[in-house]
Amino acid sequence: MRILISGFEAFGGRSTNPTATMVRNIELGRLHVPEGIDLNTILLPVTFERAFHVMEEKIQTFRPDVVLAFGLASSRHEIDLERVAINCLDAEIDDNNGHRPMDRPISEKGETAYFSTLPLRQFEIALKEKGFPVKISNSAGTFVCNYLFYKLMESQLVRYAGFIHVPLQETLSEEKLLEAVSVILSDCEKGLFI
Ligand code: PCA
């Protein structure tokens, strides 16, 4: 099973993004990857212009069965398994290109929303069992993360795809985040997609 994990660069005046650290840690071999999983990673720019293109190129070459896209939500206090991407752009801060689209659809004639195709409830149960703070969230916001999530689902390039927001490192350390990713990968490996 080929799985692609994405993270985002720092944005909004912060010097780091826990999901960028996560990607670097995975690339350094610090993640326990269950047998049978071919894992690849990609770090995405926090720009409406490039984020999805960079992911799309990676999908075209790696051809993953599953995409687990990660981003930071600094106001959240747990791992948020995002249920839905909405067709809305409404940035409250500039992206890393200085763009701040407001009150616009992502896709003029697109669907209102797309649901994640990941087994969120199973992920939630597995993470809770291991003591991680986690919930299913019904809003991925209206910034670059929601945009990437929407474009990913709209593209239908990958059957099993979705988005996961994580809190700041003060709430979930980089070691704990890696452990949580490992729990999610074990769940994927158990054949939850069949
Ligand atoms: N979080 C932002 C964009 C990049 C990231 O890590 C978001 O929630 O939209």
Side-chain angles (χ1 to χ4, degrees), residues 1-3 5 26 31-39 68 178-191:
M1 181 185 288
R2 280 193 300 278
I3 300 183
I5 288 185
I26 295 172
L31 175 72
H32 168 71
V33 182
E35 192 101 350
I37 290 179
D38 181 3
L39 190 69
L68 305 170
L178 281 185
E179 280 175 35
V181 174
S182 193
V183 170
I184 290 170
L185 290 183
S186 307
D187 248 19
C188 294
E189 204 276 323
K190 281 182 205 144

Side-chain angles (χ1 to χ4, degrees), residues 5-8 19 22 68-72 163-164 166 177 181 184:
I5 288 185
S6 73
F8 274 109
T19 67
M22 175 194 76
L68 305 170
F70 287 81
L72 164 68
F163 199 92
I164 299 170
V166 304
L177 176 53
V181 174
I184 290 170

Side-chain angles (χ1 to χ4, degrees), residues 18-19 22 68-83 118-140 162-185:
T19 67
M22 175 194 76
L68 305 170
F70 287 81
L72 164 68
S74 57
S75 62
R76 313 273 178 100
H77 298 286
E78 66 288 301
I79 298 167
D80 279 7
L81 307 166
E82 299 296 350
R83 196 194 309 260
L118 298 174
L120 300 184
R121 195 61 73 191
Q122 285 93 326
F123 287 174
E124 187 203 26
I125 292 166
L127 286 165
K128 264 202 183 138
E129 260 171 23
K130 301 270 181 196
F132 290 97
V134 58
K135 72 171 170 49
I136 294 179
S137 156
N138 295 310
S139 174
F163 199 92
I164 299 170
H165 264 123
V166 304
L168 289 166
Q169 262 164 25
E170 291 90 303
T171 306
L172 190 72
S173 70
E174 61 182 276
E175 293 78 19
K176 280 279 166 206
L177 176 53
L178 281 185
E179 280 175 35
V181 174
S182 193
V183 170
I184 290 170
L185 290 183

Side-chain angles (χ1 to χ4, degrees), residues 7-11 17-20 44-48 70-74 76 82 93 96 140-148 163-166:
F8 274 109
E9 288 171 355
F11 69 100
N17 184 326
T19 67
L44 303 174
V46 186
T47 69
F48 291 101
F70 287 81
L72 164 68
S74 57
R76 313 273 178 100
E82 299 296 350
I93 56 169
N96 286 353
T142 49
F143 192 46
V144 180
C145 289
N146 175 72
Y147 171 79
L148 175 87
F163 199 92
I164 299 170
H165 264 123
V166 304

Side-chain angles (χ1 to χ4, degrees), residues 49-67:
E49 199 185 348
R50 295 279 305 144
F52 180 64
H53 292 299
V54 174
M55 173 168 268
E56 199 176 16
E57 276 168 21
K58 186 74 177 185
I59 290 172
Q60 306 287 9
T61 53
F62 181 55
R63 301 242 154 246
D65 303 299
V66 181
V67 172

